[in-house]
Amino acid sequence: MERLAASENNPYDLVLMDTQMPIMNGYEATKQIRGLEHPAQASVPTIAMTANAFDEDHRAAKDCGMNGFISKPIDMKEVLSVLQDVLAEA
């Protein structure tokens, strides 16, 4: 979140966001990204990555503004599918 906020000309095309991090979870980080002043930074596509794949986890990702959801362990077919879908919408 800090790197994205500090970046100039938004060099990020996409953020793969772990939802469970020690200082700030991915849901809160995404909320902060969505609140950034620069429109390109605030709208960068963000995809949740988590081992928690329950319906409430999908809902939490959507509710905080994430654009996609990938469950762990990583399945590359799923990753490529979600990336293609999210980037097509961007």
Side-chain angles (χ1 to χ4, degrees):
M1 202 299 286
E2 290 174 357
R3 288 182 188 252
L4 177 66
S7 69
E8 292 185 27
N9 301 320
N10 190 33
Y12 296 95
D13 295 320
L14 180 110
V15 174
L16 296 174
M17 182 73 74
D18 194 340
T19 61
Q20 296 181 353
M21 299 181 290
I23 297 172
M24 178 187 310
N25 70 41
Y27 304 121
E28 183 58 36
T30 300
K31 288 178 190 176
Q32 288 192 20
I33 289 170
R34 297 297 177 243
L36 293 173
E37 289 183 34
H38 193 284
Q41 292 171 330
S43 64
V44 67
T46 305
I47 299 173
M49 297 186 75
T50 180
N52 299 327
F54 298 105
D55 288 341
E56 59 264 21
D57 300 303
H58 284 263
R59 236 182 339 272
K62 185 176 181 178
D63 289 349
C64 74
M66 290 184 175
N67 304 86
F69 191 96
I70 297 172
S71 58
K72 297 178 185 177
I74 299 298
D75 172 358
M76 283 311 294
K77 287 182 182 181
E78 177 188 13
V79 171
L80 294 174
S81 176
V82 171
L83 288 174
Q84 184 177 16
D85 291 347
V86 168
L87 290 173
E89 293 174 8

